[in-house]
Amino acid sequence: MWWEWTLRVFAGIGALGVVVASVVAIWGLPVAVRSADIAQQAEERERKKDQREDEKEAEEEERLTVGPAIDIQSTEPNLFFGGGSFALPHPTESEEDLPKGGYMSEEYRTWFAENKGLPVNERSVRVTIFPIHQGTVVIQGMRITDRVCRPTRHTGTVVVPPSFGDSGGEGLPTMVAFDLREPVPRPWKMRFWTPDATPGGGGRDLSGNAFAKVVYLDGGEDFDARAFDLWFFTGNQDCEFGVEVNATAAGRGSEWYRVLFPGRRMTYEVAGNPARYDTSVVSEDLGGVPVLRGPRDAETPPPLVKGPFDAVG
């Protein structure tokens, strides 16, 4: 009958719809899978990108914290222009023991070194500090370490340089003075002369903490550098000692760095000032060979004129 035929038609249509839906679902399955794969790949790329950024930050942090924060180079600035005297621990017996060259010659320098000569009472060294890494390094102070002082043994020969001026033409770096007679030597800010500080002469003017204002050094391609002339005063004692520099950098905190002196020495030496020397070696001029003379009274060293250590000026 007609209604039975109608039911069969609708049943066929329903079955066809199921087949069509199945085909569509089967066709769309790879698309869904591909979409999920794409999303997963994008997520993996983001994860790897974050990982690379984390590794880069870790490398940068390691670069800033591994190894020393600063480099320290040292030279002896114009020691032969110091104007003071030098001393040998033993007497000079004869003219044959003297150098054959003038005061500025290599023969004279070799003779002086072989006889273990030292400047008397005061000595200087130039220290230049460079930051090694990116970022800012703060230089906050210096200190004396491993100090050993004893009554002077340098009484044998006084070595007297000729009279001449300073080397000229070179600006003075920051001068930092240490009086090694202090119980704990402090880094004084120093000027060379105070006129008529005492009757009969001037003195070394020590006034204030040399690091009352800290020193900032920026690292990187165009890095900063700062030079210091360190002066050491011993009075009548021979002193041997080391020096350390305090530096603070990001991610590292405060650290102390040892100064290596010229010749990669860990310590420095200054001779004491005795009352009298057994013999004297005197240079009359720069070019002539030195002459041997008899005993000689030691010169009175310039006094140290000190102000308040914590003064800022």
mmCIF file of all heavy atoms in Angstrom, residues 59-81:
data_model
loop_
_atom_site.group_PDB
_atom_site.id
_atom_site.type_symbol
_atom_site.label_atom_id
_atom_site.label_comp_id
_atom_site.label_asym_id
_atom_site.label_seq_id
_atom_site.Cartn_x
_atom_site.Cartn_y
_atom_site.Cartn_z
ATOM 1 N N GLU A 59 73.335 31.405 30.445
ATOM 2 C CA GLU A 59 74.676 31.667 29.934
ATOM 3 C C GLU A 59 75.120 33.086 30.274
ATOM 4 O O GLU A 59 76.271 33.321 30.635
ATOM 5 C CB GLU A 59 74.714 31.454 28.427
ATOM 6 C CG GLU A 59 74.595 29.997 28.004
ATOM 7 C CD GLU A 59 74.503 29.843 26.496
ATOM 8 O OE1 GLU A 59 74.523 30.891 25.814
ATOM 9 O OE2 GLU A 59 74.406 28.706 26.011
ATOM 10 N N GLU A 60 74.203 34.038 30.139
ATOM 11 C CA GLU A 60 74.530 35.427 30.461
ATOM 12 C C GLU A 60 74.848 35.572 31.932
ATOM 13 O O GLU A 60 75.810 36.248 32.312
ATOM 14 C CB GLU A 60 73.364 36.343 30.073
ATOM 15 C CG GLU A 60 73.581 37.822 30.397
ATOM 16 C CD GLU A 60 74.668 38.435 29.538
ATOM 17 O OE1 GLU A 60 75.089 37.822 28.538
ATOM 18 O OE2 GLU A 60 75.100 39.543 29.870
ATOM 19 N N GLU A 61 74.036 34.923 32.777
ATOM 20 C CA GLU A 61 74.285 34.985 34.213
ATOM 21 C C GLU A 61 75.621 34.332 34.551
ATOM 22 O O GLU A 61 76.384 34.846 35.377
ATOM 23 C CB GLU A 61 73.153 34.288 34.973
ATOM 24 C CG GLU A 61 73.304 34.384 36.488
ATOM 25 C CD GLU A 61 72.118 33.779 37.209
ATOM 26 O OE1 GLU A 61 71.119 33.419 36.542
ATOM 27 O OE2 GLU A 61 72.183 33.655 38.445
ATOM 28 N N GLU A 62 75.921 33.200 33.896
ATOM 29 C CA GLU A 62 77.193 32.523 34.135
ATOM 30 C C GLU A 62 78.348 33.396 33.672
ATOM 31 O O GLU A 62 79.387 33.480 34.336
ATOM 32 C CB GLU A 62 77.218 31.185 33.402
ATOM 33 C CG GLU A 62 78.506 30.397 33.620
ATOM 34 C CD GLU A 62 78.499 29.075 32.889
ATOM 35 O OE1 GLU A 62 77.568 28.830 32.110
ATOM 36 O OE2 GLU A 62 79.435 28.300 33.105
ATOM 37 N N ARG A 63 78.174 34.060 32.539
ATOM 38 C CA ARG A 63 79.231 34.925 32.022
ATOM 39 C C ARG A 63 79.527 36.074 32.968
ATOM 40 O O ARG A 63 80.651 36.553 33.055
ATOM 41 C CB ARG A 63 78.814 35.481 30.652
ATOM 42 C CG ARG A 63 79.938 36.128 29.867
ATOM 43 C CD ARG A 63 79.457 36.562 28.510
ATOM 44 N NE ARG A 63 78.489 37.626 28.606
ATOM 45 C CZ ARG A 63 78.795 38.904 28.775
ATOM 46 N NH1 ARG A 63 80.049 39.273 28.856
ATOM 47 N NH2 ARG A 63 77.856 39.819 28.854
ATOM 48 N N LEU A 64 78.506 36.504 33.690
ATOM 49 C CA LEU A 64 78.679 37.607 34.628
ATOM 50 C C LEU A 64 79.249 37.164 35.965
ATOM 51 O O LEU A 64 79.721 37.982 36.738
ATOM 52 C CB LEU A 64 77.336 38.320 34.861
ATOM 53 C CG LEU A 64 76.769 39.088 33.680
ATOM 54 C CD1 LEU A 64 75.386 39.612 34.004
ATOM 55 C CD2 LEU A 64 77.681 40.231 33.281
ATOM 56 N N THR A 65 79.193 35.875 36.258
ATOM 57 C CA THR A 65 79.567 35.425 37.590
ATOM 58 C C THR A 65 80.755 34.478 37.618
ATOM 59 O O THR A 65 81.339 34.261 38.675
ATOM 60 C CB THR A 65 78.376 34.725 38.266
ATOM 61 O OG1 THR A 65 77.928 33.639 37.441
ATOM 62 C CG2 THR A 65 77.219 35.696 38.475
ATOM 63 N N VAL A 66 81.124 33.890 36.480
ATOM 64 C CA VAL A 66 82.237 32.953 36.460
ATOM 65 C C VAL A 66 83.532 33.717 36.202
ATOM 66 O O VAL A 66 83.603 34.553 35.317
ATOM 67 C CB VAL A 66 82.018 31.873 35.382
ATOM 68 C CG1 VAL A 66 83.274 31.031 35.210
ATOM 69 C CG2 VAL A 66 80.837 31.000 35.765
ATOM 70 N N GLY A 67 84.572 33.395 36.979
ATOM 71 C CA GLY A 67 85.843 34.087 36.838
ATOM 72 C C GLY A 67 85.817 35.420 37.569
ATOM 73 O O GLY A 67 84.786 35.862 38.084
ATOM 74 N N PRO A 68 86.950 36.100 37.646
ATOM 75 C CA PRO A 68 87.020 37.369 38.379
ATOM 76 C C PRO A 68 86.203 38.466 37.715
ATOM 77 O O PRO A 68 85.990 38.462 36.507
ATOM 78 C CB PRO A 68 88.518 37.696 38.362
ATOM 79 C CG PRO A 68 89.052 36.975 37.165
ATOM 80 C CD PRO A 68 88.242 35.714 37.061
ATOM 81 N N ALA A 69 85.747 39.415 38.524
ATOM 82 C CA ALA A 69 84.973 40.546 38.003
ATOM 83 C C ALA A 69 85.874 41.640 37.455
ATOM 84 O O ALA A 69 85.448 42.436 36.615
ATOM 85 C CB ALA A 69 84.065 41.107 39.094
ATOM 86 N N ILE A 70 87.117 41.695 37.931
ATOM 87 C CA ILE A 70 88.018 42.767 37.507
ATOM 88 C C ILE A 70 89.389 42.193 37.169
ATOM 89 O O ILE A 70 89.760 41.104 37.607
ATOM 90 C CB ILE A 70 88.183 43.848 38.610
ATOM 91 C CG1 ILE A 70 88.725 43.225 39.906
ATOM 92 C CG2 ILE A 70 86.880 44.583 38.837
ATOM 93 C CD1 ILE A 70 89.030 44.242 40.991
ATOM 94 N N ASP A 71 90.127 42.960 36.364
ATOM 95 C CA ASP A 71 91.532 42.677 36.092
ATOM 96 C C ASP A 71 92.335 43.825 36.689
ATOM 97 O O ASP A 71 91.926 44.990 36.607
ATOM 98 C CB ASP A 71 91.771 42.565 34.586
ATOM 99 C CG ASP A 71 93.212 42.243 34.250
ATOM 100 O OD1 ASP A 71 93.889 41.610 35.085
ATOM 101 O OD2 ASP A 71 93.674 42.633 33.160
ATOM 102 N N ILE A 72 93.479 43.497 37.307
ATOM 103 C CA ILE A 72 94.329 44.504 37.942
ATOM 104 C C ILE A 72 95.713 44.419 37.331
ATOM 105 O O ILE A 72 96.341 43.359 37.362
ATOM 106 C CB ILE A 72 94.410 44.302 39.462
ATOM 107 C CG1 ILE A 72 93.014 44.275 40.083
ATOM 108 C CG2 ILE A 72 95.256 45.389 40.100
ATOM 109 C CD1 ILE A 72 93.008 43.931 41.566
ATOM 110 N N GLN A 73 96.182 45.511 36.763
ATOM 111 C CA GLN A 73 97.528 45.578 36.208
ATOM 112 C C GLN A 73 98.340 46.593 36.994
ATOM 113 O O GLN A 73 97.818 47.644 37.401
ATOM 114 C CB GLN A 73 97.489 45.944 34.728
ATOM 115 C CG GLN A 73 96.756 44.921 33.874
ATOM 116 C CD GLN A 73 96.748 45.283 32.407
ATOM 117 O OE1 GLN A 73 97.388 46.242 31.983
ATOM 118 N NE2 GLN A 73 96.018 44.517 31.612
ATOM 119 N N SER A 74 99.602 46.291 37.217
ATOM 120 C CA SER A 74 100.430 47.182 38.040
ATOM 121 C C SER A 74 101.753 47.490 37.354
ATOM 122 O O SER A 74 102.327 46.642 36.667
ATOM 123 C CB SER A 74 100.699 46.545 39.408
ATOM 124 O OG SER A 74 101.410 45.329 39.269
ATOM 125 N N THR A 75 102.209 48.708 37.524
ATOM 126 C CA THR A 75 103.519 49.158 37.041
ATOM 127 C C THR A 75 104.112 50.071 38.096
ATOM 128 O O THR A 75 103.388 50.654 38.908
ATOM 129 C CB THR A 75 103.412 49.924 35.714
ATOM 130 O OG1 THR A 75 102.504 51.024 35.884
ATOM 131 C CG2 THR A 75 102.918 49.031 34.591
ATOM 132 N N GLU A 76 105.440 50.215 38.062
ATOM 133 C CA GLU A 76 106.095 51.123 38.987
ATOM 134 C C GLU A 76 106.270 52.467 38.294
ATOM 135 O O GLU A 76 107.036 52.577 37.335
ATOM 136 C CB GLU A 76 107.438 50.547 39.435
ATOM 137 C CG GLU A 76 107.257 49.310 40.286
ATOM 138 C CD GLU A 76 108.565 48.650 40.659
ATOM 139 O OE1 GLU A 76 109.502 48.697 39.840
ATOM 140 O OE2 GLU A 76 108.634 48.098 41.764
ATOM 141 N N PRO A 77 105.552 53.495 38.739
ATOM 142 C CA PRO A 77 105.546 54.764 37.988
ATOM 143 C C PRO A 77 106.729 55.660 38.343
ATOM 144 O O PRO A 77 106.828 56.192 39.444
ATOM 145 C CB PRO A 77 104.230 55.411 38.424
ATOM 146 C CG PRO A 77 104.028 54.906 39.814
ATOM 147 C CD PRO A 77 104.645 53.540 39.876
ATOM 148 N N ASN A 78 107.644 55.804 37.406
ATOM 149 C CA ASN A 78 108.689 56.818 37.544
ATOM 150 C C ASN A 78 109.450 56.718 38.861
ATOM 151 O O ASN A 78 109.707 57.725 39.514
ATOM 152 C CB ASN A 78 108.069 58.219 37.416
ATOM 153 C CG ASN A 78 107.297 58.363 36.122
ATOM 154 O OD1 ASN A 78 107.688 57.818 35.102
ATOM 155 N ND2 ASN A 78 106.192 59.069 36.164
ATOM 156 N N LEU A 79 109.819 55.491 39.268
ATOM 157 C CA LEU A 79 110.515 55.360 40.545
ATOM 158 C C LEU A 79 111.829 56.132 40.550
ATOM 159 O O LEU A 79 112.234 56.662 41.581
ATOM 160 C CB LEU A 79 110.781 53.883 40.834
ATOM 161 C CG LEU A 79 109.626 53.087 41.429
ATOM 162 C CD1 LEU A 79 110.066 51.667 41.708
ATOM 163 C CD2 LEU A 79 109.133 53.731 42.702
ATOM 164 N N PHE A 80 112.471 56.210 39.390
ATOM 165 C CA PHE A 80 113.749 56.895 39.358
ATOM 166 C C PHE A 80 113.588 58.415 39.290
ATOM 167 O O PHE A 80 114.558 59.136 39.216
ATOM 168 C CB PHE A 80 114.579 56.387 38.178
ATOM 169 C CG PHE A 80 115.209 55.056 38.445
ATOM 170 C CD1 PHE A 80 114.493 53.888 38.268
ATOM 171 C CD2 PHE A 80 116.512 54.964 38.907
ATOM 172 C CE1 PHE A 80 115.076 52.652 38.525
ATOM 173 C CE2 PHE A 80 117.101 53.747 39.172
ATOM 174 C CZ PHE A 80 116.383 52.576 38.990
ATOM 175 N N PHE A 81 112.345 58.885 39.316
ATOM 176 C CA PHE A 81 112.097 60.322 39.394
ATOM 177 C C PHE A 81 111.515 60.690 40.757
ATOM 178 O O PHE A 81 110.965 61.757 40.923
ATOM 179 C CB PHE A 81 111.121 60.761 38.298
ATOM 180 C CG PHE A 81 111.706 60.678 36.916
ATOM 181 C CD1 PHE A 81 111.585 59.518 36.166
ATOM 182 C CD2 PHE A 81 112.372 61.749 36.366
ATOM 183 C CE1 PHE A 81 112.115 59.436 34.889
ATOM 184 C CE2 PHE A 81 112.913 61.677 35.082
ATOM 185 C CZ PHE A 81 112.782 60.520 34.345
#
